[in-house]
Amino acid sequence: MDSELKILKKIFEENGRAHIESISDYLGFGRDYLRFLCQRLVEKDLLISSQRDWYQLSKKGKRELKLRGLIDLRKKRLKRHLKKIVLPTLRLREFPKKIKSAPNFTSSKNYNPPTLKLKLGKKIEKTASSLTRARQSQAKGEDEVRTSSTEKLRS
Amino acid sequence: MAKKVKKIGSQTPLVRGLDVGTSFIYSAQKVGPEVSFKSCRDCFFDIEHSDFIEEILKKSNVRYALKGERIYIVGEEAMKFANVFGKNTRRPLRNGVISPDEEESLPVIELLVKDTLGSPRSNEEVVCYSVPANPIDVPFDIIYHQNIIRMFLENLGYQAKPLNEGLAVIYSELARNNFTGMGISLGGGMTNVCFAVMAVPIFSFSIARAGDWVDEQVARVTNETMSKITAIKEANLNLNLAETSTDKIDQALYIYYDSLIGYVLENIKGEMEKSPKPRLEKPVPIVLAGGTAKPKGFLRMFEESLNKIKLPLETGEVKVASYPLLSVVKGTLIAGIAERKKST
């Protein structure tokens, strides 16, 4: 079962309407990536997005789940009056390491983008050296402040 | 083999800089006394596939990709095609981050990054890439964008390190001021602001208004396509002349540029008031970078608005970066070299 179907199933289990956070908890994906997936489902008319971050299963979405044998509409009826309230929790999720890019995206070969060459090598090297020095002196300063404050505390 | 890589590394640091912008993607690489900059326009345009069109594109050295029954023309040529068809180009990035509206945004960005950057020279090569700061006027963050770009770069074989876009401008342009001052990068999708003291950022934020916003508003009021407005703006916009011009596009450009500057300065003032104010001996210098700061007369308009608004900190010299379009990528390259020096 792919991610899109998992999203649809989760929303169905939440009585047809779910917040992105509860889907995120279920699938373990980040919210931005889920928004992207849900947006695609909205475009396919499988979901309805009436409010930001809330997604509702459309008739087409329900039919899709039924066709794939993932749900039985006769057994599970939507009970709106018993809707479970899920409070979104603020949590940062680890981003999935790999995302499948669109298939069959073959590109032309041997392309060289326009190139501009400027004699800035020495200048950039000099700036990088002074940046390193500035960072080092900053770190040194911070260390000194830290040591003096610990000494003060000790005394 | 390992010995050879080490030798190359001691002569030129194995570092590249990358600026992933809404309008352009730039890469920079130091080769001896020169710095080589490569650029790709960050847009695409799709047309129906036919063998005849594909053959023409191949012969004309146009960058394209195929998917299903569509041909995706990528980069600068996409803009030309869009203008020929009287339509807008499609953009893989919107408001400085990966566009959720475009289904093809991920493969297109991957392709453009690959084109601009090329393959790494060793498995230890570092690429320092720019990322926008968190926006203050739109409800999204940059986590997804930052991680996707990192993933693309790591897939190419680089060690990827993100750098705040505004800070990159400071690294690039304020070395004489000991990296103290304010860097403002006015790009296509976003305006990035960073205030740093001795290379340490005090505050940084982004605003989801920049060149694209100007183009969009001007296109709306003049009933033209955004691609056409972008082409006119990039060709020869002079804001000194636009102020008194009778051409409606020029007039609209002037009005929206003025509005954009006012909006940016209002937000800077607001953020400065919220942030701690360091005691500085000298007034704060301001550097403007990015394609939106490039037209003639922009600096004058910015200075006039700055005098009216009065920021909480005393401001000093205001200047436009020597190479406004390359300032961010230059900054990322400097940060990368500095990082390499620190580690060796």
Side-chain angles (χ1 to χ4, degrees):
Chain A
M1 188 162 53
D2 65 19
S3 307
E4 291 188 346
L5 280 172
K6 278 182 186 168
I7 294 171
L8 293 178
K9 198 169 178 235
K10 178 63 189 167
I11 297 172
F12 178 77
E13 282 166 4
E14 296 270 334
N15 285 342
R17 191 169 182 259
H19 191 266
I20 200 150
E21 198 55 47
S22 66
I23 311 170
S24 171
D25 283 345
Y26 174 67
L27 287 171
F29 288 161
R31 277 195 293 174
D32 288 305
Y33 179 53
L34 270 174
R35 261 188 214 111
F36 172 74
L37 288 177
C38 289
Q39 191 55 41
R40 282 180 61 175
L41 289 168
V42 169
E43 281 163 15
K44 288 177 187 170
D45 294 324
L46 295 169
L47 286 184
I48 301 161
S49 170
S50 48
Q51 202 183 338
R52 189 179 151 79
D53 287 352
W54 282 94
Y55 295 95
Q56 201 180 330
L57 202 62
S58 68
K59 279 185 181 174
K60 199 183 165 187
K62 275 180 219 164
R63 219 180 300 135
E64 186 77 17
L65 284 173
K66 198 188 163 189
L67 278 171
R68 287 170 188 262
L70 295 168
I71 54 156
D72 189 349
L73 282 173
R74 280 169 299 180
K75 278 184 189 171
K76 176 124 184 162
R77 288 180 189 281
L78 296 176
K79 291 175 184 173
R80 290 195 179 276
H81 62 284
L82 288 173
K83 201 161 71 177
K84 195 178 154 193
I85 298 166
V86 182
L87 287 172
T89 48
L90 278 173
R91 247 189 293 170
L92 275 177
R93 294 228 159 246
E94 202 173 309
F95 196 77
K97 203 71 176 146
K98 280 191 176 177
I99 288 175
K100 283 179 187 172
S101 56
N104 305 326
F105 206 85
T106 48
S107 58
S108 58
K109 286 169 188 168
N110 303 326
Y111 178 77
N112 285 318
T115 309
L116 174 71
K117 284 185 178 172
L118 295 171
K119 284 200 171 178
L120 292 170
K122 273 186 184 174
K123 201 180 167 188
I124 279 186
E125 196 72 41
K126 212 175 151 186
T127 313
S129 301
S130 46
L131 178 61
T132 316
R133 277 198 302 275
R135 278 174 173 176
Q136 278 168 352
S137 66
Q138 194 69 32
K140 210 177 164 184
E142 275 173 14
D143 283 346
E144 277 168 12
V145 169
R146 222 172 287 144
T147 354
S148 64
S149 58
T150 33
E151 274 169 8
K152 267 181 197 174
L153 278 169
R154 274 176 194 163
S155 65
Chain B
M1 188 68 197
K3 209 175 176 182
K4 196 180 173 187
V5 170
K6 202 176 175 186
K7 198 179 172 189
I8 297 165
S10 61
Q11 284 165 352
T12 51
L14 291 172
V15 176
R16 290 182 203 220
L18 182 72
D19 171 16
V20 188
T22 314
S23 299
F24 285 93
I25 296 181
Y26 288 97
S27 79
Q29 180 189 348
K30 189 176 163 287
V31 188
E34 284 181 335
V35 178
S36 162
F37 296 95
K38 283 185 180 177
S39 66
C40 267
R41 193 181 276 276
D42 208 352
C43 66
F44 64 106
F45 188 73
D46 63 310
I47 49 173
E48 208 169 316
H49 177 267
S50 79
D51 291 339
F52 176 67
I53 293 175
E54 197 184 338
E55 202 55 41
I56 291 173
L57 295 178
K58 254 184 208 168
K59 281 180 185 168
S60 321
N61 192 29
V62 172
R63 185 60 158 152
Y64 67 92
L66 301 172
K67 191 194 164 189
E69 289 299 302
R70 312 292 293 171
I71 297 185
Y72 293 84
I73 298 155
V74 182
E76 191 63 51
E77 274 72 23
M79 182 80 123
K80 289 176 191 166
F81 269 84
N83 283 335
V84 167
F85 285 94
K87 287 183 179 174
N88 286 324
T89 52
R90 290 170 67 185
R91 309 282 290 273
L93 261 73
R94 201 187 67 188
N95 291 342
V97 294
I98 291 161
S99 170
D101 303 333
E102 286 292 352
E103 204 180 322
E104 325 295 350
S105 58
L106 296 183
V108 170
I109 296 168
E110 193 174 13
L111 186 71
L112 288 167
V113 167
K114 207 173 160 186
D115 276 351
T116 324
L117 210 54
S119 303
R121 291 165 287 180
S122 92
N123 54 3
E124 285 177 358
E125 185 152 12
V126 171
V127 60
C128 202
Y129 66 101
S130 69
V131 284
N134 274 324
I136 53 167
D137 58 345
V138 279
F140 62 77
D141 56 45
I142 56 142
I143 301 165
Y144 177 72
H145 174 82
Q146 185 175 322
N147 282 285
I148 284 279
I149 303 296
R150 178 179 55 81
M151 197 184 72
F152 287 158
L153 297 172
E154 284 176 354
N155 286 349
L156 278 171
Y158 289 97
Q159 288 179 24
K161 287 189 191 288
L163 177 73
N164 178 282
E165 197 176 316
L167 193 59
V169 175
I170 292 171
Y171 286 172
S172 169
E173 310 296 329
L174 290 174
R176 279 186 188 173
N177 302 72
N178 207 10
F179 306 102
T180 300
M182 191 181 287
I184 306 175
S185 168
L186 295 118
M190 270 189 162
T191 298
N192 270 276
V193 182
C194 181
F195 173 48
V197 176
M198 287 176 74
V200 178
I202 304 295
F203 69 78
S204 65
F205 64 93
S206 67
I207 305 160
R209 266 191 207 183
D212 284 351
W213 178 81
V214 172
D215 296 356
E216 203 182 317
Q217 302 309 313
V218 174
R220 190 176 50 82
V221 295
T222 57
N223 198 25
E224 295 284 359
T225 62
M226 237 180 103
S227 297
K228 191 181 171 183
I229 300 297
T230 311
I232 292 170
K233 194 182 80 178
E234 285 176 7
N236 51 2
L237 176 65
N238 185 338
L239 290 165
N240 290 327
L241 302 175
E243 190 178 1
T244 50
S245 170
T246 50
D247 182 77
K248 69 174 180 176
I249 294 177
D250 281 353
Q251 276 178 346
L253 280 167
Y254 179 83
I255 289 165
Y256 283 107
Y257 256 94
D258 192 44
S259 169
L260 173 70
I261 293 169
Y263 184 73
V264 169
L265 285 169
E266 280 292 342
N267 278 293
I268 292 174
K269 191 181 177 186
E271 284 302 305
M272 273 185 150
E273 279 164 357
K274 279 186 230 163
S275 309
K277 286 161 204 70
R279 280 181 192 172
L280 297 170
E281 288 165 6
K282 290 174 187 173
V284 179
I286 298 175
V287 191
L288 307 168
T292 306
K294 208 185 157 198
K296 280 178 190 168
F298 184 86
L299 181 63
R300 179 188 60 82
M301 283 175 78
F302 190 90
E303 281 175 328
E304 281 174 10
S305 298
L306 184 66
N307 291 337
K308 281 179 207 162
I309 200 158
K310 285 190 181 171
L311 296 177
L313 276 173
E314 194 190 344
T315 53
E317 186 198 7
V318 184
K319 63 176 183 181
V320 175
S322 44
Y323 299 96
L325 298 172
L326 305 174
S327 186
V328 174
V329 74
K330 228 172 91 189
T332 57
L333 182 65
I334 290 165
I337 296 172
E339 194 72 29
R340 238 317 119 90
K341 281 187 176 180
K342 196 182 151 192
S343 60
T344 48

